[in-house]
Amino acid sequence: MRILVVDDDVHIRENLKRLLSYEGYSVELAADHREAFSQIAESPPDLVVLDLMLPIVDGLEICRTIRQTSDVPILMLTAKGTLEDKVGGLDSGADDYLVKPFQPDELMARIRALLRRRQPQNEALKFGVLTLDAVAHQVFVNDTLVDLSSKEFDLLELLMRHARQVITRETFYDRIWGYDFSGESNILEVYIRYLRAKLDAAGSPRYIQTVRGIGYVMREEPGTQANSKDVTDG
């Protein structure tokens, strides 16, 4: 996904670019309203990270202008943290408001939450012999319905939406159990084992693979025929 960072401080722009790029996002940068509007017109981003205190045209006005033509999620960053400031930012059209200084983990959690809300959930996801219907909350291996628990379903959906991308254990805990989850350290492994067993029993290839020391990835076993066209993210 593509994120546009709008901030007049070059150090903040570059730091955010490094952080977001490390997390796997494509990042574009803008220093003022002119560059921001130009970037949005040329290639609409999936999310905008917008500084409030900008020269000439401030973040509130930029936000209002964007809202005239786009519903792209906007996360506003600012050192102004009073209730009045937050209300002003949200009323201008921002979807979230984060006060500086902030922790990178909180920034990433808020970005992921905004992007989740934007993702259409009404189309089936397909990968090889697997089909996941997010609306009906059903999973099929070919024509066989697989009975999954809520957490097993959420794990599979996350893997299928990011097929062939390695997902870290921290990301699973963030997305499935909440970013401040502090439960048992092996609960993810337990649920992955349950999920694999149910898919195996229904005749699915072992698509969910362990990446030691990092997390898990959904990809084809050697010799299977699934390809990039088999994945549809609704």
Side-chain angles (χ1 to χ4, degrees), residues 46-221:
D46 295 293
L47 182 140
V48 176
V49 177
L50 175 63
D51 185 37
L52 175 61
M53 303 299 291
L54 291 169
I56 307 176
V57 177
D58 66 15
L60 294 178
E61 189 58 35
I62 292 174
C63 192
R64 293 188 190 100
T65 302
I66 292 173
R67 280 290 169 260
Q68 292 176 10
T69 58
S70 174
D71 64 350
V72 62
I74 298 174
L75 173 59
M76 191 167 284
L77 303 181
T78 179
K80 303 174 70 174
T82 68
L83 177 60
E84 182 180 357
D85 293 326
K86 293 179 182 178
V87 170
L90 296 172
D91 281 348
S92 71
D95 297 276
D96 201 355
Y97 192 102
L98 186 58
V99 178
K100 302 175 183 178
F102 51 81
Q103 293 297 318
D105 287 347
E106 182 178 7
L107 172 67
M108 296 311 307
R110 288 173 182 258
I111 285 175
R112 289 190 293 268
L114 290 174
L115 291 173
R116 282 199 299 272
R117 295 176 203 166
R118 186 171 175 79
Q119 280 186 324
Q121 305 294 317
N122 59 342
E123 294 183 16
L125 302 176
K126 295 184 179 181
F127 187 92
V129 301
L130 294 178
T131 301
L132 183 148
D133 187 328
V135 175
H137 217 265
Q138 292 180 325
V139 172
F140 292 87
V141 174
N142 291 316
D143 295 325
T144 301
L145 179 64
V146 184
D147 183 20
L148 299 181
S149 70
S150 177
K151 284 292 188 288
E152 291 162 357
F153 185 94
D154 290 344
L155 284 170
L156 182 59
E157 183 177 9
L158 179 59
L159 285 160
M160 291 183 70
R161 288 192 182 280
H162 301 277
R164 302 179 185 84
Q165 299 177 27
V166 177
I167 303 176
T168 66
R169 299 179 78 257
E170 292 76 16
T171 298
F172 279 109
Y173 283 126
D174 172 13
R175 298 287 293 272
I176 307 301
W177 284 276
Y179 72 89
D180 58 351
F181 177 80
S182 58
E184 298 179 22
S185 61
N186 70 335
I187 192 171
L188 173 60
E189 287 74 16
V190 170
Y191 273 94
I192 288 289
R193 187 166 65 248
Y194 292 159
L195 177 58
R196 280 172 168 166
K198 291 182 178 181
L199 295 177
D200 289 350
S204 172
R206 181 60 67 89
Y207 293 136
I208 302 173
Q209 299 179 21
T210 302
V211 181
R212 294 190 180 279
I214 300 176
Y216 297 92
V217 60
M218 171 161 279
R219 60 189 174 205
E220 306 85 347
E221 291 182 304

